[in-house]
Amino acid sequence: MRSIPSLCAVARLAATLVLASSPALAQRDGGQPDSLYTREHYTKAEYMVPMRDGAKLYTIVYTPKDTSQAVPFMLLRTPYGIPPYPLTDYKRVLGPSPEFDRDGFIFVYQDARGKFRSEGTFRVMNPYKPQKRGPQDVDESSDNYDTIDWLLKNIPHNNGRVGQWGISYPAWQTVMGMIAAHPALKASSPQSSPSDMFVGDDFHHNGAFRFMYTFNWLSGNARPRGAQTTDRGRPFDYGTTDAYHFFLDIGTVAGVNERYFHGQLPTWNDFLEHPNYDAYWQDQNALKDLKGITPAVLNVTGWFDQEDFYGPMSIYYTIEKLNPGNRSTLVVGPWNHGGWGAGGGDSLGPVKFGSPTGEYFRREVQLPFFKHYLKDTPGTPPEAVVFETGTNVWKTYDSWPPKEAAKKSLYLLPEGKLAFSAPTAAGAAYDSYVDDPAHPVPFTTEKRPTQGFLWMVEDQWFASTRPDVLVYQTEPLTEDLTIAGPIIAKMRVSTSGTDADFIVKLVDVFPDNLPSIVTADGGVQQGGRFAARADQRMRNYQMLVGAEVFRAKYRHSYAKPEPMVPNQVTPLEWDLRDKYHTFQKGHRIMVQVQSSWFPLIDRNPHKFMDIYTAKASDFQPATQRIYHSPAQPSHLELLVLSK
């Protein structure tokens, strides 16, 4: 393991942390805009690239004007459009970051099948077809293969190697390109790719429907188009900044079609027709197809990714298991969804990370990775490059989770206590609360129509004051405590209904009295050794570290749900996903438990049924119990690093 205490020392540490030091960003041609540099050094052309079934995909290629040496391709395929479309207009930045422009690559952008100027029909998460019976049997993997094959044969001055990258949906397309990959594809970087849309990514978490995000994404990206176009269309007009009451007023998931979509959004209809983990969702699961992966993989995500964190972590674990010889690197920084792609990455809301983490990744990890595998730059990529929140340092490991991390159980106790010692016979056996679907717990205090991302680190004080949220916390820590790896909630619960949702949140509670230090000029700075503590907004701040929902009817199987037995103690176990965080000395660890998280997650009627068909009359309050007795010890299982 290697730590990087400060990015001021990046130049000294780059050679040992990552592959090689990338060129420093130079002044852009006397202040000229980047688009002028790309215009002067690259030639832009457009092509309709034929696929094996006859469909042609619109593709823009930027080739270096300097043809003195052959260079590799950098490929991005996306359903989100590849502007600017006019040949007279140039992208400001051609590659994943400006450093690539100066290093010399052939940059290729392609509209996905059925989107914008490409032919064909777009299908959301079109699954991989391992058995192709003829040229009409196509998927994202075959489109990727055919595109690379055409590029090699038709774009001159290439060195026969291809790198591919993408964030979010384009990352999933990158993953699809890794499956049955073209031999020329040497380096792939899926960045926050989903892997399973029912278990843990955009549209569901552990079977619970991600209501507001799915509504927003499908309304903007999955509407059938009439013809090829460059028009992005208009976003949905919510008519309000109050998402909580907008979705509460809709009433039910079924009410969306009645009030807004009117049955004209095919993918929404598909979702409603497949409420459980049947073949529709299982076919889309990318993990089952991650065998024989030949390109080197740079798998990137952020600890605070609000959309796809399960995806990249599960992809990493699966590649490690099924492809032990693959050259795979995991990178996780302190970012929201795609937050490493541009900007400094030095904060999320009031939470500060002490350095421009996004710049560090782009210059010292991403560019060297592609140069190594596409241009033979010397170096050995690390296995894991991870940012430790709380202490704000980058570290590398030769495995993830770190081998030295040990399991410890953090127990919920009577009277709102939380400790690493198991409960005793003293005290009540459980705590209870009433979850009322008419007044669900909001997931954020932010007033906006769409989901946003600041809720991923938001002060949870607003939730801790509600009677339908249980709160447990430790005494102030006497020393730093670092967790590294998956967080498993092992809960013992009951409900008065026949179904329920349970949300567990892990929270870092900052102290009220922030320490002061004397600065070099003799002044006083609040915050001590870590930048996050310098902001007075952090006094008593209940920073959300991790959280996850579980829909109880799926406790045995996502494919075959089962009703809960009213008021019967039932074990539930689910993954709150990986974290790498230090709870500092003087802080407290808090766990919050609740049964609604609205409108992030749709409301549970507390009745065993297909919730997508629920009527308003189906939604009833339920009494939930969380047990913490010696016989029924609810707890979190953590991996803890010794300092």
Side-chain angles (χ1 to χ4, degrees):
M1 181 271 289
R2 184 182 299 274
S3 72
I4 301 100
S6 167
L7 290 189
C8 295
V10 156
R12 298 194 306 272
L13 294 164
T16 53
L17 175 65
V18 291
L19 307 176
S21 179
S22 65
L25 274 178
Q27 183 75 19
R28 292 295 192 189
D29 292 342
Q32 297 176 8
D34 288 359
S35 59
L36 182 54
Y37 175 84
T38 59
R39 186 190 308 276
E40 290 177 345
H41 292 81
Y42 289 85
T43 298
K44 181 180 181 182
E46 60 183 359
Y47 304 93
M48 294 299 292
V49 177
M51 301 293 105
R52 64 190 64 183
D53 66 337
K56 296 179 179 179
L57 306 188
Y58 180 78
T59 307
I60 294 176
V61 180
Y62 295 87
T63 56
K65 291 182 179 180
D66 180 359
T67 59
S68 60
Q69 61 180 347
V71 295
F73 292 101
M74 285 295 294
L75 171 65
L76 184 137
R77 304 182 62 248
T78 176
Y80 297 130
I82 54 174
Y85 284 94
L87 289 180
T88 54
D89 297 337
Y90 279 62
K91 292 180 71 67
R92 187 180 64 82
V93 176
L94 294 181
S97 67
E99 293 85 356
F100 284 76
D101 303 359
R102 300 302 181 102
D103 213 272
F105 295 83
I106 302 170
F107 298 100
V108 181
Y109 290 84
Q110 186 177 78
D111 281 334
R113 177 183 291 264
K115 298 296 286 187
F116 293 92
R117 295 189 67 177
S118 283
E119 297 176 353
T121 301
F122 178 69
R123 178 182 174 186
V124 176
M125 308 302 292
N126 188 24
Y128 172 64
K129 301 174 179 64
Q131 299 297 326
K132 294 179 173 63
R133 297 174 176 83
Q136 298 302 312
D137 224 355
V138 295
D139 52 28
E140 291 287 352
S141 174
S142 66
D143 283 354
N144 211 82
Y145 190 105
D146 294 350
T147 296
I148 291 174
D149 203 57
W150 186 93
L151 291 169
L152 293 168
K153 296 173 181 176
N154 291 276
I155 304 300
H157 309 296
N158 72 78
N159 72 353
R161 301 186 197 182
V162 180
Q164 186 170 2
W165 90 101
I167 299 174
S168 196
Y169 202 111
W172 176 79
Q173 292 176 288
T174 301
V175 171
M176 293 295 103
M178 291 158 40
I179 300 168
H182 193 288
L185 183 62
K186 302 299 183 183
S188 296
S189 183
Q191 304 181 1
S192 277
S193 169
S195 66
D196 191 314
M197 288 296 195
F198 196 87
V199 175
D201 289 308
D202 300 70
F203 302 134
H204 301 80
H205 277 206
N206 296 317
F209 188 48
R210 298 188 78 227
F211 193 10
M212 69 184 301
Y213 177 81
T214 306
F215 179 99
N216 180 258
W217 195 91
L218 293 184
S219 66
N221 296 285
R223 293 185 182 277
R225 68 173 188 181
Q228 292 163 255
T229 180
T230 60
D231 182 16
R232 298 187 65 85
R234 294 182 179 180
F236 181 85
D237 182 7
Y238 289 83
T240 179
T241 59
D242 184 357
Y244 183 90
H245 287 97
F246 174 85
F247 285 97
L248 200 60
D249 289 345
I250 292 176
T252 65
V253 173
V256 170
N257 259 335
E258 297 169 7
R259 297 184 63 169
Y260 296 109
F261 293 166
H262 308 297
Q264 298 177 359
L265 203 58
T267 305
W268 180 270
N269 299 337
D270 288 344
F271 287 9
L272 301 195
E273 292 169 5
H274 300 278
N276 303 317
Y277 195 53
D278 59 11
Y280 175 83
W281 297 106
Q282 294 171 24
D283 287 347
Q284 294 180 28
N285 175 13
L287 302 178
K288 68 183 187 306
D289 301 314
L290 294 179
K291 305 168 187 173
I293 302 301
T294 57
V297 180
L298 181 69
N299 196 348
V300 184
T301 189
W303 296 123
F304 307 108
D305 191 316
Q306 73 276 17
E307 310 301 351
D308 299 300
F309 186 75
Y310 171 80
M313 297 307 298
S314 61
I315 289 168
Y316 170 75
Y317 286 132
T318 303
I319 289 177
E320 289 294 294
K321 179 181 179 181
L322 301 182
N323 305 267
N326 184 269
R327 300 146 296 173
S328 175
T329 295
L330 174 69
V331 180
V332 193
W335 306 308
N336 67 304
H337 189 65
W340 56 89
D346 56 351
S347 66
L348 277 180
V351 181
K352 305 296 192 295
F353 303 121
S355 61
T357 63
E359 293 179 11
Y360 173 79
F361 163 73
R362 295 190 295 271
R363 296 183 189 181
E364 308 302 333
V365 181
Q366 182 173 244
L367 179 63
F369 169 82
F370 281 109
K371 288 181 66 176
H372 178 68
Y373 290 109
L374 302 182
K375 295 186 173 186
D376 295 323
T377 299
T380 302
E383 178 67 25
V385 182
V386 288
F387 188 87
E388 182 180 328
T389 56
T391 55
N392 292 342
V393 292
W394 284 103
K395 295 184 181 178
T396 63
Y397 290 95
D398 58 10
S399 66
W400 183 263
K403 295 184 181 71
E404 55 268 40
K407 287 183 181 179
K408 293 190 71 173
S409 292
L410 185 62
Y411 293 93
L412 280 59
L413 301 174
E415 300 178 354
K417 295 180 180 179
L418 188 67
F420 287 99
S421 55
T424 64
Y430 62 83
D431 295 313
S432 65
Y433 58 94
V434 175
D435 184 62
D436 184 356
H439 304 284
V441 180
F443 80 100
T444 183
T445 60
E446 194 176 10
K447 193 174 181 181
R448 51 176 297 138
T450 54
Q451 181 180 269
F453 58 84
L454 292 179
W455 63 276
M456 291 294 295
V457 295
E458 187 173 7
D459 188 347
Q460 296 301 298
W461 180 85
F462 78 93
S464 70
T465 61
R466 289 182 58 116
D468 49 2
V469 177
L470 299 180
V471 177
Y472 304 87
Q473 64 178 331
T474 65
E475 295 297 320
L477 299 176
T478 57
E479 59 184 15
D480 288 359
L481 185 142
T482 301
I483 59 173
I487 303 166
I488 308 300
K490 296 188 173 183
M491 308 298 289
R492 302 295 184 268
V493 306
S494 70
T495 178
S496 61
T498 52
D499 189 20
D501 293 344
F502 292 93
I503 297 97
V504 169
K505 299 187 290 191
L506 182 64
V507 177
D508 184 345
V509 183
F510 286 65
D512 182 47
N513 297 318
L514 299 180
S516 302
I517 59 174
V518 179
T519 61
D521 59 3
V524 175
Q525 174 186 322
Q526 295 290 333
R529 53 186 173 142
F530 302 125
R533 298 173 67 178
D535 191 330
Q536 289 302 299
R537 290 176 296 177
M538 304 306 291
R539 293 170 63 111
N540 280 320
Y541 196 91
Q542 297 178 12
M543 175 186 162
L544 184 62
V545 174
E548 191 55 280
V549 61
F550 192 85
R551 185 148 284 174
K553 67 181 180 181
Y554 294 118
R555 63 196 179 278
H556 295 135
S557 169
Y558 290 120
K560 298 179 179 179
E562 299 175 28
M564 294 280 280
V565 178
N567 302 313
Q568 177 175 297
V569 183
T570 305
L572 297 181
E573 181 174 322
W574 69 100
D575 192 343
L576 272 61
R577 314 305 172 200
D578 293 54
K579 295 296 174 185
Y580 186 30
H581 181 78
T582 292
F583 297 87
Q584 299 172 30
K585 178 181 178 180
H587 291 219
R588 297 173 186 257
I589 304 174
M590 176 183 285
V591 169
Q592 296 183 8
V593 184
Q594 58 199 62
S595 285
S596 50
W597 214 13
F598 192 76
L600 183 70
I601 301 298
D602 68 324
R603 297 175 303 151
N604 193 311
H606 302 128
K607 179 186 294 187
F608 179 73
M609 64 180 302
D610 176 359
I611 298 177
Y612 296 156
T613 65
K615 303 181 295 294
S617 59
D618 290 318
F619 290 82
Q620 301 294 332
T623 298
Q624 324 288 38
R625 290 178 176 176
I626 306 299
Y627 292 81
H628 42 60
S629 67
Q632 303 291 350
S634 293
H635 62 283
L636 301 187
E637 185 178 274
L638 309 172
L639 289 176
V640 177
L641 281 174
S642 298
K643 290 289 187 178

